């Protein structure tokens, strides 16, 4: 009986333990307001070294129907990419080029609070995101919605 009590106590104690994990940088989903959907058939997403005045290009992604799509909600067109790792994240400056209307949107000064989370000792499916506090779109404060994800609205 004593042995069962000791084993039960150890199991309960071990399962009650948690470990601290570092949260990841959240993707920034983006939508366009009042830009015709046919103008969004092709987009070019450019990733730059942060604070380098868009002089040090890191990567480029051409967005078409082959690797993404547009979901319309009234006058708002949300860009939906096949790979969640293709969205802008903190730590870089970004440009979205819209060839159909010859417009470049710059995203800079992504301000983020780094967080940690708790994970059960035996769990392998732990997840948390750092918090985006703000950013700039074309040197103006960006319009963010951060309910369950980070959504940037571009006019």
């Amino acid at each position: 009986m004593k042995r069962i009590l000791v084993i039960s106590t150890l199991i309960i104690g071990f399962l009650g333990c948690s470990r601290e994990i570092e949260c990841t940088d959240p993707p920034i989903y983006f939508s366009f307001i009042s830009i015709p959907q046919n103008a969004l058939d092709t987009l070019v997403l450019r990733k730059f070294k942060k604070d380098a005045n868009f002089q040090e290009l890191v990567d480029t992604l051409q967005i078409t129907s082959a690797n993404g799509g547009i979901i319309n909600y009234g006058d708002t067109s949300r860009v939906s990419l096949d790979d969640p790792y293709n969205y802008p994240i903190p730590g870089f400056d970004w440009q979205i080029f819209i060839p159909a209307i010859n417009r470049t949107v710059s995203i800079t000064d992504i301000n983020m609070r780094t967080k940690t989370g708790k994970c059960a000792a035996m769990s392998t499916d732990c997840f948390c995101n750092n918090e985006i506090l703000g950013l700039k779109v074309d040197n103006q404060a960006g319009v963010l919605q951060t309910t369950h994800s980070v959504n940037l609205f571009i006019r």
Side-chain angles (χ1 to χ4, degrees), residues 5-64:
L5 182 61
V6 170
I7 291 173
S8 297
T9 303
L10 287 173
I11 290 173
I12 291 170
F14 184 70
L15 292 177
C17 291
S18 63
R19 58 187 164 90
E20 193 168 293
I21 60 168
E22 291 188 19
C23 298
T24 60
D25 294 342
I28 301 170
Y29 302 101
F30 53 97
S31 299
F32 296 95
I33 299 174
S34 299
I35 296 177
Q37 182 179 359
N38 63 349
L40 302 173
D41 287 344
T42 300
L43 302 171
V44 179
L45 181 63
R46 297 181 187 127
K47 178 182 183 180
F48 291 88
K49 182 178 176 186
K50 183 180 172 114
D51 299 326
N53 203 25
F54 297 103
Q55 298 300 308
E56 297 182 44
L57 183 64
V58 175
D59 201 3
T60 300
L61 173 68
Q62 183 169 326
I63 302 168
T64 65

Side-chain angles (χ1 to χ4, degrees), residues 59-75:
D59 201 3
T60 300
L61 173 68
Q62 183 169 326
I63 302 168
T64 65
S65 61
N67 61 355
I70 302 294
I71 301 168
N72 289 308
Y73 303 98
D75 70 342

Side-chain angles (χ1 to χ4, degrees), residues 85-153:
Y85 294 103
N86 286 336
Y87 289 98
I89 58 170
F92 300 92
D93 289 335
W94 299 84
Q95 285 182 336
I96 304 169
F97 176 57
I98 310 167
I101 58 175
N102 197 30
R103 178 175 173 204
T104 300
V105 177
S106 298
I107 302 170
T108 58
D109 299 329
I110 301 173
N111 186 8
M112 178 183 70
R113 179 173 41 195
T114 303
K115 297 171 30 178
T116 57
K118 296 282 185 192
C119 184
M122 297 299 288
S123 179
T124 58
D125 190 27
C126 302
F127 183 77
C128 63
N129 274 332
N130 292 319
E131 183 180 358
I132 302 287
L133 302 174
L135 53 74
K136 288 185 179 176
V137 175
D138 295 333
N139 290 318
Q140 303 293 317
V143 178
L144 291 174
Q145 175 190 29
T146 56
T147 318
H148 299 290
S149 58
V150 180
N151 298 291
L152 173 64
F153 294 92

